[in-house]
Amino acid sequence: MRKKFVAGNWKMNKNFQQAEELLDELVDVVSAKAAPDVDVVVCPPFVFIEMALDICRDEQSRNVFSIGAQDVSAYTSGAYTGEVSAEMIASMEAEYCIVGHSERRKYHGETDTTVAQKVELLLQNSLTPIVCVGETLEERENGVLFDVIKTQLTDGLFHLQPMDFSHIVIAYEPVWAIGTGKTATDKQAEEMHKYIRSLIEEKYGKEIARKTPILYGGSCTPQTAPSLFAQPDIDGGLIGGASLKADDFVSIINSFGK
Ligand code: 13P
């Protein structure tokens, strides 16, 4: 059995007080109501990571859920004003980091080359990269969606040694589905997830392909998650908007097997 994952990407939302409120609420609902066999990750903005780690520790000092960052610098350290390094994230005891999100590709010049550099640094610091891939509407309509995903995977990830690749989580996020309310159909999502798994199998073999978690992201809601998560190659979700409401997020976590 593959691990089931649900990760929340808060993006640039909430101020300090609102973040604290949401984290308090999340700790309560996740510890009381969430399926225990699902790995839950919350990725707040950098400035709230320390607070998130403090709040999500239970009485036994275990984290109720894991904490991740939304991005990382492609550089190790030094004169890069405003950047945050993989070592900094790891030293705070966060465990995950999103890389290659389409918003970073679109607004901040992220490329498959920077994705590859960032993944390398995250792995060196024992952080788990959640690597996003996805096609635009135009690319889908032009029928090049599979080529686009293949290039993103090949250039961003397939340089890794099998041992390193086995620590990767992939998120398929069709750009046209992000924040639009237009969720991919179960069929569209499963078709791409299956294709991604076939590419991993071609490169790294059956065993690694079988074990790699592939998440779906893009307008995933408590309504759409159950049938998406029931698809054989969909192992969970990377959730934007719906991760900002504790009840919606926990409903999505509980969508497996429904
Ligand atoms: P939405 O769930 O808001 O569409 O965002 C998805 C996403 O980009 C998660 O990384």
Side-chain angles (χ1 to χ4, degrees):
M1 273 292 274
R2 263 191 300 280
K3 268 192 182 173
K4 296 172 198 144
F5 264 98
V6 174
N9 175 9
W10 286 14
K11 307 191 180 183
M12 196 172 71
N13 288 295
K14 307 284 177 191
N15 63 28
F16 187 86
Q17 288 74 20
Q18 293 163 339
E20 193 173 28
E21 232 169 82
L22 176 56
L23 286 161
D24 281 335
E25 222 185 315
L26 276 174
V27 167
D28 289 347
V29 292
V30 172
S31 47
K33 297 194 205 155
D37 57 336
V38 180
D39 281 8
V40 179
V41 185
V42 172
C43 302
F46 283 128
V47 287
F48 303 145
I49 285 181
E50 187 179 3
M51 169 169 67
L53 283 160
D54 281 349
I55 292 180
C56 86
R57 226 155 263 158
D58 67 11
E59 292 92 60
Q60 285 86 40
S61 283
R62 282 182 317 232
N63 288 348
V64 175
F65 40 77
S66 301
I67 301 297
Q70 297 174 16
D71 183 38
V72 63
S73 177
Y75 302 102
T76 312
S77 67
Y80 301 103
T81 302
E83 291 281 270
V84 174
S85 73
E87 190 189 352
M88 291 172 186
I89 299 168
S91 67
M92 303 199 65
E93 297 180 7
E95 295 169 71
Y96 291 83
C97 182
I98 298 169
V99 197
H101 193 281
S102 66
E103 287 147 18
R104 298 229 50 102
R105 293 180 192 259
K106 183 172 174 193
Y107 303 122
H108 303 280
E110 183 102 314
T111 62
D112 295 329
T113 309
T114 52
V115 168
Q117 289 165 339
K118 291 178 179 190
V119 164
E120 204 74 57
L121 289 171
L122 292 172
L123 292 171
Q124 279 169 22
N125 285 280
S126 305
L127 290 160
T128 301
I130 302 174
V131 182
C132 303
V133 295
E135 82 287 356
T136 62
L137 186 59
E138 196 186 359
E139 288 162 344
R140 177 166 278 264
E141 286 175 349
N142 290 338
V144 294
L145 63 164
F146 295 104
D147 301 332
V148 168
I149 302 302
K150 186 174 187 176
T151 303
Q152 290 174 348
L153 288 171
T154 307
D155 296 354
L157 283 179
F158 284 177
H159 61 288
L160 293 174
Q161 295 300 313
M163 191 53 198
D164 285 337
F165 190 87
S166 60
H167 297 291
I168 300 289
V169 175
I170 292 177
Y172 169 56
E173 298 207 310
V175 180
W176 48 272
I178 296 177
T180 57
K182 232 177 128 186
T183 322
T185 63
D186 302 339
K187 190 163 167 261
Q188 285 170 324
E190 170 59 19
E191 185 182 33
M192 187 56 86
H193 281 235
K194 197 171 173 184
Y195 176 66
I196 292 172
R197 208 175 296 287
S198 76
L199 292 176
I200 300 171
E201 182 173 336
E202 226 172 78
K203 173 76 187 169
Y204 294 106
K206 239 188 172 61
E207 192 52 17
I208 289 182
R210 196 175 61 79
K211 285 191 177 152
T212 304
I214 308 176
L215 316 183
Y216 168 80
S219 298
C220 192
T221 64
Q223 290 71 40
T224 55
S227 59
L228 282 163
F229 293 0
Q231 304 304 310
D233 290 289
I234 300 183
D235 307 309
L238 180 54
I239 317 300
S243 73
L244 299 170
K245 290 192 201 120
D247 287 341
D248 284 355
F249 192 53
V250 87
S251 302
I252 294 175
I253 297 165
N254 290 329
S255 293
F256 294 93
K258 286 213 168 142

